[in-house]
Every structure is written in structure tokens, then in C-alpha cells.
């Protein structure tokens, strides 16, 4: 009798935890959910996290609280998410900064696809190349010619190493064959202030955040970075139209959770996010801002992330190579 009892207790103790997850997912969430944004307040990731968080709060009846944990090009906030319990109550709003960091920041203490679980993408936005009005270049080709005539004399701002703005800048430098100095700021707000104040000559920024400054003639838009012209900045040609075939760069946003988060919870969040980005009011708002909704299963998002890691690893290889 004692042996049977001991074996029964051992079976209960060692039973796989996923046996209880269907009920756990059914009740999820039963308390507030924290959404870590590893970037500064007011940027695309922060704004989008709050928009999606409000919709998820409506859907689930629990607060989705945004917490900005900035620093080290998104590494600090990402590390915080990695260390969190895998119970669905800590999520990470991430971007292509994290996929770039896989090759750009080898000393980080985590691996994206090992230590985090994909939930769903949210949206993407084209970027815009802008210059301060004092720069004597009215077109992208004029800026390229100016940069070639003054190697390492012009500079461009970004919100930090590995951010989409930095990576888009390095890709532009490599494909245009120019030497422009990267000036990393602590966040996108400070970088934007740098180009608005003329401390730096150029910046590549998200269309939704920089478009108002273009409209007020505080900066000059030279080109946008998508395959087609931006509906928000239709007068700006694409980089491809401006003479650099094959150039494309965007900022995309998505949600991940600590590895080990039960699959039923991942699936529940994926369904809720996909429903949120398809809402007519959300689509209308994002269209006005220049953002495009993205919808995938968690498995499709996993494949997307792995492909993006490979893409930016190829760009990083070119960083130390001089312009041709």
C-alpha cells in the first residue's frame, strides 16, 4: 500500500506541466499583464504597444500595462522579458532591433529564438530619409553626391545600435557607396531632436513619427524606404525610384513571450492580436499614420523572425567595409 501511494504521488509530482494548461488558458488572463517595451516613450513601439494593450484590455477584461525598459539598443528590456516567468503575464513588444541584435550584439546573455516564444506580429511602417534644411541637397542623389565629396564629414542619427533606423542607415550607406558617420542616441526622441536642431545632418525615421516634422518644413524628406510610395508622404520618391535598386527597409513590431509560456496561452494571445489588427478602426488609424497591419500564426511569425535574423546578419557583415 505504501509503495502504491508513493508511486501515485511521484506520478503527480512529475506529470508534465502542460497537462494543466488548457484550463490555465481558459482562465487567462486573471490579473494584469505587463508589456515590456525596450524602447523610449513616444516611439512607434511604445505607441503601438499602448494601442494594442488597450484593445487587449477590452477583449480580456484585464489591464495590459506598458513598461518602458530602455537601454543598450533594446537589450536591457529584452533581457528583462527573458528572465520573467513563462506564464503569459509578461510580454515583450519587439521589433527588427532584436533580430539585428542577434548578430550585432554577440555579448548579449540571451538568444532570441531560444529564450523567447513568438506570439504575433502587429504592424510595419516605411521609413523616411530626412535631412536638416541647412543641408545643400534637395534630392537623394544630391545627398549621395554631397556625401561622396565629403567622406566621413556628414553624419546621421539613430536611436541606438541595432535599431531599424541604424540598420536602414548602414544598408543605405553600403548600397549607395558612401561614408556617413553614425551618431547613436539613447532613444528615437533624442535622435529626432538631433536632426531637427541641426546637430546631425540626416536621419532615417519611421514615417508616422517624422511626417509631422516634414509637413512643418522642419526637415526635408528625400525618400521613403518601402517598395511603393508612402500614402502619408506621397511627394517623396522611394529609395528605389531615387536610384538605388533593391533597397527596402521598414520597422516592424511584434509580440513575444518568455520561452516555455504554455502554447494554449500563446494561441489565445495570437488570436486576440490578429483580431485587433483587423479591426476597421485600427486599420483606418494606422493607414492615416502610414502603418500596415500584419497578421500571422505564431508558427508563421517564428519563420518570419528567423528569416529576418539572416537578412540583418548579412548587413552587419558589411559594417566595417569601406565604400566602393
Amino acid at each position: 500500500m505504501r509503495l502504491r501511494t508513493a508511486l501515485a504521488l511521484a506520478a503527480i509530482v512529475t506529470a508534465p506541466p502542460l497537462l494543466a494548461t488548457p484550463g490555465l488558458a481558459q482562465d487567462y488572463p486573471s490579473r494584469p499583464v505587463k508589456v515590456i517595451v525596450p524602447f523610449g516613450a513616444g516611439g512607434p513601439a511604445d505607441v503601438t504597444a499602448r494601442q494594442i494593450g488597450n484593445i487587449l484590455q477590452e477583449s480580456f477584461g484585464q489591464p495590459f500595462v506598458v513598461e518602458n525598459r530602455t537601454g543598450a539598443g533594446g537589450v536591457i528590456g529584452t533581457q528583462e522579458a527573458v528572465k520573467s516567468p513563462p506564464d503569459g503575464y509578461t510580454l515583450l513588444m519587439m521589433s527588427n532591433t532584436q533580430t539585428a541584435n542577434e548578430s550585432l550584439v554577440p555579448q548579449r546573455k540571451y538568444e532570441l529564438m531560444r529564450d523567447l516564444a513568438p506570439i504575433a506580429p502587429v504592424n510595419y511602417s516605411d521609413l523616411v530619409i530626412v535631412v536638416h534644411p541647412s543641408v545643400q541637397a534637395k534630392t537623394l542623389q544630391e545627398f549621395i553626391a554631397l556625401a561622396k565629396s565629403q567622406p566621413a564629414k556628414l553624419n546621421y542619427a539613430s536611436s541606438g545600435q541595432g535599431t531599424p533606423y541604424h540598420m536602414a542607415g548602414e544598408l543605405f550607406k553600403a548600397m549607395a557607396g558612401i561614408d556617413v558617420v553614425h551618431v547613436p542616441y539613447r532613444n528615437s526622441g533624442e535622435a529626432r531632436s538631433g536632426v531637427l536642431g541641426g546637430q546631425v545632418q540626416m536621419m532615417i525615421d519611421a514615417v508616422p513619427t517624422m511626417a509631422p516634422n516634414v509637413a512643418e518644413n522642419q526637415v526635408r524628406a528625400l525618400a521613403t524606404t518601402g517598395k511603393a510610395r508612402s500614402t502619408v508622404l506621397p511627394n517623396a520618391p522611394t529609395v528605389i525610384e531615387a536610384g538605388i535598386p533593391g533597397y527596402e527597409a521598414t520597422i516592424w513590431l511584434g509580440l513575444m513571450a518568455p520561452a516555455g509560456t504554455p502554447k494554449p496561452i500563446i494561441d489565445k494571445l495570437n488570436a486576440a492580436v490578429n483580431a485587433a489588427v483587423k479591426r476597421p478602426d485600427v486599420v483606418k488609424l494606422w493607414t492615416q499614420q502610414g502603418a500596415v497591419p500584419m497578421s500571422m500564426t505564431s508558427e508563421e511569425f517564428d519563420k518570419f523572425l528567423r528569416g529576418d535574423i539572416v537578412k540583418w546578419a548579412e548587413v552587419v557583415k558589411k559594417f566595417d567595409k569601406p565604400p566602393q
Side-chain angles (χ1 to χ4, degrees):
M1 177 65 75
R2 289 180 179 177
L3 178 59
R4 287 199 299 269
T5 301
L7 290 173
L9 288 173
I12 293 173
V13 171
T14 59
L18 288 179
L19 292 177
T21 56
L24 178 65
Q26 184 176 1
D27 297 335
Y28 173 87
S30 59
R31 53 186 171 86
V33 177
K34 178 169 65 177
V35 182
I36 295 176
V37 176
F39 312 109
D46 178 67
V47 171
T48 301
R50 296 178 192 279
Q51 291 171 338
I52 290 296
N54 288 338
I55 296 173
L56 294 179
Q57 179 171 328
E58 293 176 14
S59 301
F60 291 126
Q62 291 290 344
F64 279 69
V65 182
V66 171
E67 181 178 301
N68 297 92
R69 297 297 299 273
T70 63
V75 171
I76 290 176
T78 304
Q79 180 66 37
E80 187 68 22
V82 166
K83 296 188 298 183
S84 300
D87 55 8
Y89 289 94
T90 300
L91 309 179
L92 174 72
M93 174 61 75
M94 47 86 69
S95 73
N96 27 342
T97 296
Q98 276 81 359
T99 52
N101 281 344
E102 287 295 287
S103 52
L104 189 63
V105 189
Q107 69 273 22
R108 71 196 183 287
K109 298 180 180 179
Y110 63 86
E111 290 182 19
L112 192 69
M113 305 310 294
R114 180 194 67 193
D115 299 321
L116 290 162
I119 296 174
V122 178
N123 66 26
Y124 74 88
S125 303
D126 290 343
L127 308 177
V128 58
I129 301 176
V130 299
V131 293
H132 187 266
S134 64
V135 175
Q136 299 300 307
K138 298 295 192 293
T139 68
L140 189 67
Q141 283 300 328
E142 288 181 2
F143 180 81
I144 292 172
L146 181 65
K148 287 184 176 180
S149 70
Q150 303 177 34
K153 298 297 183 182
L154 301 179
N155 50 40
Y156 80 97
S158 85
S159 54
Q161 294 278 351
T163 60
Y165 318 116
H166 173 216
M167 302 303 288
E170 294 300 317
L171 182 62
F172 171 56
K173 286 168 54 179
M175 296 184 71
I178 58 176
D179 184 6
V180 180
V181 179
H182 176 224
V183 180
Y185 286 78
R186 290 186 298 179
N187 55 60
S188 58
E190 291 185 6
R192 203 168 297 118
S193 295
V195 72
L196 292 175
Q199 286 81 39
V200 291
Q201 286 80 45
M202 188 264 278
M203 181 180 180
I204 302 180
D205 198 3
V207 167
T209 47
M210 186 57 83
N213 303 112
V214 174
E216 294 175 11
N217 297 315
Q218 296 173 319
V219 288
R220 183 184 305 122
L222 299 183
T224 53
T225 65
K227 291 182 178 179
R229 291 200 179 198
S230 166
T231 57
V232 178
L233 297 171
N235 293 327
T238 66
V239 175
I240 296 172
E241 288 179 300
I244 303 181
Y247 182 94
E248 183 185 5
T250 63
I251 176 173
W252 56 258
L253 303 168
L255 285 169
M256 300 187 82
T261 299
K263 187 64 164 60
I265 290 179
I266 295 288
D267 290 342
K268 191 171 186 177
L269 285 165
N270 176 270
V273 172
N274 282 334
V277 302
K278 293 175 183 176
R279 283 177 37 159
D281 58 330
V282 173
V283 174
K284 180 179 179 180
L285 174 63
W286 286 352
T287 299
Q288 292 171 344
Q289 296 175 341
V292 180
M294 299 174 70
S295 180
M296 299 180 190
T297 65
S298 59
E299 291 79 13
E300 290 169 338
F301 190 36
D302 183 286
K303 184 178 179 180
F304 173 87
L305 291 170
R306 294 179 188 276
D308 213 56
I309 289 170
V310 173
K311 171 186 175 179
W312 292 117
E314 291 301 313
V315 176
V316 170
K317 290 178 183 178
K318 302 175 182 179
F319 274 19
D320 296 326
K321 295 182 180 179
Q324 301 298 318

